[in-house]
Amino acid sequence: MQTSLSSSQPKKIALALSGGGIRAMVFHLGVLSYLAEQQRLEEITHISTVSGGSLIMGLIFQHANMKWPTSQQFLNFIRPQIKRLLCEKSLMAGSLKQFLNPLNLKHLFSRAHILSKAIQEEWGIGCDLQELPEHPEWSINATVGETGKRFRFKKNDLGDYDSGYCKTIEHAFPLCDAMAISAAFPVGIGPLAIESQKFIWYKRKWNEPPEMAKPITLRHKQLHLYDGGVYDNLGLEGFFDIAQQEKKAKLSEDTLLIVSDAGSPLDEQVPSLYKLVTRFMHLIDIIYNQNRSLRVRSLVAYLRRHKNRGVYLPIKTKIPQSNGADEFAMQFPTSLQKLSEEEFDKLYQHGYNVCRKYYFFIADENIGSGKSAMDIF
């Protein structure tokens, strides 16, 4: 069933896509497909991504020749091309293949460099950030190991408010590096290191205009950049102030905030004490889930007050008559493996169904009817 927004509804969309490896990539693809069926891709003005969200968005731009596709282009050409790629090629296998080159052994403990090479060779993404379109504005999120801050990559600059920023027009930065960094899980992949002295960094005081920025020297000679999910696995930070429980000023009042969350629910089966590695990973999962839960609670509080200004789409949603696709998606591991067509279809269909279920309440003007996309909380 298709619905359409009334003239009173927002005409701009800010889209946040979470991490979660290949599971997140395909879940988000389903979400985007439903939005495309509603002819809403044209209204996306801002995108913020982490990990799997960054990987799928990079693929979309790649297959659209570094332009933002129309809804019809996405449905007719890009979606089937991405499905074919994800069912034929594995980033995990592509990364392992990189170690056949002895020169890559130096990246054994910083495997985001290896992942970047795999993204370039397996997916053909060889452009720089500067080649991205001006609109929509895409923020690719990472985490700085030295400072613990959110580090983001955009078309025109990269950096964080604490360290400073550098302009991509002065220093070309590969898109595949930014995508790999955003997905660089600390244990499984490890960081991508950049030499700070190779860049010209600028910094300005809070609320000063960009032209007031002055050159600075970073206090760290190297920045080790990790998965953006370490800081914020929802990709929400660029849009939303969790302390104030409000959208940030960069988003206009009429912007609809859509948050697609493909983070897996916490596995409550605690590993045995003697399984030290799996128990350590379980503790990391607890930290991730607590971080995400705090952000979700703040977001939900905002959405309860402004029910026609946003929607939260969690993978943990139960969908009646889904033929098990919902449970399959929730339990699918966080990895970068190749998918079978059946696996792809289940993950994709769940993302589509979740978006259809909750987005409907905004599109069909059921706000105020006693029903809400927030009823799951």
Side-chain angles (χ1 to χ4, degrees):
M1 176 181 63
Q2 293 192 4
T3 57
S4 59
L5 286 182
S6 72
S7 59
S8 65
Q9 297 300 326
K11 296 300 183 183
K12 298 177 183 177
I13 293 175
L15 182 66
L17 302 181
S18 78
I22 193 78
R23 178 188 64 249
M25 293 178 66
V26 183
F27 179 86
H28 298 325
L29 198 67
V31 168
L32 287 164
S33 293
Y34 184 78
L35 294 177
E37 287 185 2
Q38 313 310 306
Q39 303 298 308
R40 298 306 306 273
L41 295 194
E42 290 79 358
E43 296 168 8
I44 295 176
T45 59
H46 295 77
I47 303 170
S48 179
T49 61
V50 177
S51 190
S54 300
L55 295 177
I56 192 61
M57 196 54 59
L59 273 181
I60 290 171
F61 278 115
Q62 169 71 9
H63 286 280
N65 296 317
M66 292 302 137
K67 297 177 182 178
W68 185 240
T70 66
S71 294
Q72 287 307 307
Q73 287 171 338
F74 177 85
L75 292 171
N76 295 337
F77 303 106
I78 294 172
R79 178 181 61 180
Q81 289 175 1
I82 290 178
K83 176 179 179 178
R84 189 179 309 113
L85 179 66
L86 297 182
C87 292
E88 291 178 354
K89 293 186 179 256
S90 164
L91 273 188
M92 188 180 297
S95 297
L96 292 173
K97 187 170 67 177
Q98 291 296 322
F99 283 114
L100 297 176
N101 182 348
L103 295 177
N104 287 333
L105 291 175
K106 63 183 178 181
H107 298 308
L108 186 60
F109 298 105
S110 55
R111 292 178 294 280
H113 293 271
I114 299 300
L115 178 58
S116 175
K117 291 177 184 289
I119 290 172
Q120 185 172 8
E121 293 188 14
E122 303 297 323
W123 289 356
I125 298 179
C127 65
D128 294 328
L129 291 175
Q130 268 283 308
E131 297 176 57
L132 291 169
E134 291 285 351
H135 303 286
E137 180 185 280
W138 180 22
S139 295
I140 307 170
N141 297 294
T143 306
V144 185
E146 281 72 19
T147 65
K149 299 296 189 294
R150 178 181 75 101
F151 191 100
R152 81 327 174 251
F153 300 88
K154 290 185 178 181
K155 172 183 172 64
N156 294 318
D157 59 20
L158 55 93
D160 69 81
Y161 76 90
D162 183 63
S163 302
Y165 297 90
C166 63
K167 303 172 184 176
T168 55
I169 196 170
E170 296 176 347
H171 304 281
F173 197 90
L175 175 58
C176 58
D177 278 1
M179 292 166 63
I181 288 168
S182 186
F185 183 73
V187 178
I189 298 176
L192 189 148
I194 62 174
E195 304 292 334
S196 63
Q197 65 269 24
K198 293 182 179 179
F199 298 83
I200 300 174
W201 299 87
Y202 298 88
K203 196 171 184 179
R204 56 190 170 94
K205 294 181 181 179
W206 189 256
N207 285 333
E208 280 188 345
E211 57 268 21
M212 296 296 292
K214 297 178 175 57
I216 62 168
T217 300
L218 262 61
R219 59 184 182 273
H220 300 287
K221 293 182 179 180
Q222 275 191 330
L223 293 179
H224 293 83
L225 303 178
Y226 291 88
D227 182 353
V230 176
Y231 185 90
D232 166 26
N233 199 48
L234 292 177
L236 190 58
E237 181 76 11
F239 297 156
F240 189 76
D241 187 325
I242 64 168
Q244 299 298 322
Q245 296 184 354
E246 291 289 347
K247 290 187 295 187
K248 291 188 175 179
K250 67 188 296 183
L251 299 185
S252 61
E253 182 62 28
D254 63 344
T255 299
L256 180 73
L257 178 59
I258 299 179
V259 182
S260 180
D261 181 7
S264 61
L266 181 67
D267 183 359
E268 297 182 8
Q269 295 296 320
V270 181
S272 301
L273 280 173
Y274 67 86
K275 297 179 180 178
L276 294 179
V277 174
T278 52
R279 191 169 184 84
F280 175 70
M281 294 300 297
H282 183 75
L283 292 174
I284 290 180
D285 286 342
I286 292 174
I287 295 170
Y288 266 67
N289 272 272
Q290 284 300 306
N291 184 326
R292 185 176 68 192
S293 294
L294 291 172
R295 294 182 185 278
V296 168
R297 289 169 190 165
S298 179
L299 173 66
V300 169
Y302 167 80
L303 294 178
R304 288 188 185 281
R305 297 196 311 272
H306 307 282
K307 292 181 180 179
N308 62 338
R309 287 293 177 261
V311 62
Y312 172 58
L313 308 173
I315 197 172
K316 65 181 182 179
T317 304
K318 294 277 190 178
I319 302 292
Q321 299 177 334
S322 69
N323 296 319
D326 49 2
E327 288 291 343
F328 177 85
M330 283 185 259
Q331 296 172 10
F332 197 84
T334 303
S335 73
L336 296 176
Q337 66 191 56
K338 179 174 69 174
L339 297 175
S340 68
E341 289 200 11
E342 182 183 6
E343 290 171 331
F344 180 98
D345 290 343
K346 287 182 177 180
L347 292 169
Y348 170 87
Q349 193 61 48
H350 187 53
Y352 180 94
N353 288 342
V354 171
C355 190
R356 179 174 60 182
K357 177 176 181 176
Y358 293 133
Y359 182 82
F360 170 80
F361 291 112
I362 294 175
D364 204 42
E365 297 189 82
N366 281 323
I367 303 305
S369 67
K371 296 180 179 179
S372 168
M374 294 301 102
D375 284 348
I376 59 170
F377 296 96

